[in-house]
Amino acid sequence: MKRAGLAVLLLGAALCIPGCGFEEGAGASVTVIQATPTPIPTPTPEVTPTPEATPTPEVVVVQTASGVNVTKQDGTYVANADVNLRADASADAALIASVANGTQLTSTGVCDNGWVEISYEGQTAYVSGDYVSAVAADTAADGAAADGAAADGSVDQAAFTDGSADASAEAVAG
């Protein structure tokens, strides 16, 4: 009897053990945990300094004695003919000097009425924009004339709006 009781216990244990904690079929679920890899730190990029913006120069406008507005700006002009330099931006203003065709003039401003303010022998003078031409910065540095004045001092008549052959006489009158 001892053997039979032991056999029943073993048989009962054998039938109960496989069903503990796991059921096969529709109600069974298995949870799979996937490990996330540890990220590799990327180096922080160096901060590139932002260049400072070059400020735009402020436009300076002054007036002549007669009330003509002059926008201050440096430049170089060349006389296209013999031309008068005046004390104000007008053909009626006092004569300061006359310069020959091909003379380079250092501009300090441009007038609203078409005249050009120049610095001549330490004083401010004005010349009619009809008788001078702007010189490119690289040409001015080389000392060469441009826009109507040739290297030999002759005048390119096409530079004058009326195309007259006697442009020098007209320029001196201005």
Side-chain angles (χ1 to χ4, degrees):
M1 187 86 143
K2 284 187 182 180
R3 276 187 186 203
L6 191 58
V8 171
L9 279 174
L10 283 174
L11 183 61
L15 292 175
C16 288
I17 290 178
C20 293
F22 180 75
E23 294 179 19
E24 281 194 45
S29 64
V30 176
T31 304
V32 177
I33 300 173
Q34 291 184 348
T36 305
T38 304
I40 300 171
T42 56
T44 304
E46 283 189 34
V47 176
T48 304
T50 304
E52 291 185 29
T54 304
T56 304
E58 190 173 318
V59 176
V60 177
V61 178
V62 297
Q63 285 189 339
T64 66
S66 64
V68 176
N69 288 334
V70 180
T71 303
K72 292 297 202 171
Q73 62 187 36
D74 294 336
T76 303
Y77 286 79
V78 65
N80 293 333
D82 293 347
V83 65
N84 290 329
L85 305 181
R86 302 271 181 188
D88 204 340
S90 166
D92 297 330
L95 179 68
I96 292 177
S98 293
V99 294
N101 175 24
T103 302
Q104 264 194 357
L105 304 168
T106 303
S107 169
T108 55
V110 178
C111 302
D112 285 350
N113 65 357
W115 285 63
V116 179
E117 182 183 71
I118 63 164
S119 175
Y120 181 76
E121 294 182 355
Q123 58 184 327
T124 300
Y126 298 87
V127 63
S128 173
D130 294 337
Y131 303 107
V132 294
S133 297
V135 176
D138 58 338
T139 306
D142 294 340
D147 292 337
D152 64 358
S154 64
V155 177
D156 177 4
Q157 294 301 321
F160 297 100
T161 56
D162 63 359
S164 67
D166 192 14
S168 296
E170 290 176 12
V172 172

